[in-house]
Amino acid sequence: MNWLNAMNNAVEYIEANITEKLDIEQVAKIALSSTFHFQRMYHIITGVTIGEYIRRRRLTLATQDIISGEKIINVAYKYGYETPEAFTKAFRKMHGVSPSAARESGANLKAYPKLSFHISIKGDKDMNYKIFNKGSFKVVGKQTRISMVNEQNFNQVPKFWYDCMEDGSYDWISSRASKLGMLGVSKDFDKYKNEFNYMIAVEEIKDTLPKGYISATIPALTWAAFESVGPVTKALHDLVRRIYTEWMPSTGYQHECAPDIEVYPAGDMSAPNYRCEIWIPIKK
């Protein structure tokens, strides 16, 4: 329950300071998480980024201020917009009408309510997992920088796999895969730029690395490994959502500030019976 209370405390902090310049790092601390993993976890659970949630809440509250008669310019500055024009643009994007038109009788407006977090254990599908300790090990492969701004990561990661298949690096990496299989490693999270490095990799090999390939060290950690069954793109995303919304709140584990690893055995990743794993670094 500590995890659940922490997430709700973070939302309450946002609400109490909604007209101030919010420090996401401070919000993440209240949620007992690193900045990156709080942002990632929040998006997985709610379907929106924390920045988008704050924007929608501000515009929802701003609408009530405008309807009650406050000057639009004052409302714009109150909710952190540098100019009335910027506020009007954001307002119109959300509501489909200008702030002044919102005062008219019968105007169609949208409201985005304050979120609260609750445990959701449906029990309609098993979650197969194991917890184990693994010492430090090295991985080698190709790496790219991924941005989470505006959810670009959901397009950039699949594109990186496709690009590696096109340029031949996928074949070079996969031909050197151990019994464990190919790995997708998310690491080096930048809490300020909301970015991380993503590697398509295998466990360290003795071959001399060609130009453009790198080696990275994964620290000794406690891992929770979850089995995913089905086409990778959808099945893995659904699994990660269940890990954060069901498994973590009910077990008391939290995400350790360390890399996440996707483990892909040989096989057709688009097949309905394809089995892979995601390893989440954890701590109590």
Side-chain angles (χ1 to χ4, degrees), residues 33 45 71 92 98 105 124-126 128 149 163 165 217 220 243 248 252 259 268 274:
S33 178
I45 294 172
K71 291 183 177 180
R92 187 184 295 276
S98 66
S105 176
D124 58 350
K125 188 176 181 181
D126 292 337
N128 297 322
V149 177
D163 290 344
M165 291 176 183
T217 300
I243 291 170
M248 281 191 176
D268 180 2
Y274 179 74

Side-chain angles (χ1 to χ4, degrees), residues 33-50:
S33 178
S34 68
T35 304
F36 176 86
H37 287 294
F38 170 70
Q39 292 174 308
R40 183 168 182 257
M41 180 169 56
Y42 193 95
H43 181 267
I44 289 170
I45 294 172
T46 66
V48 298
T49 63
I50 184 64

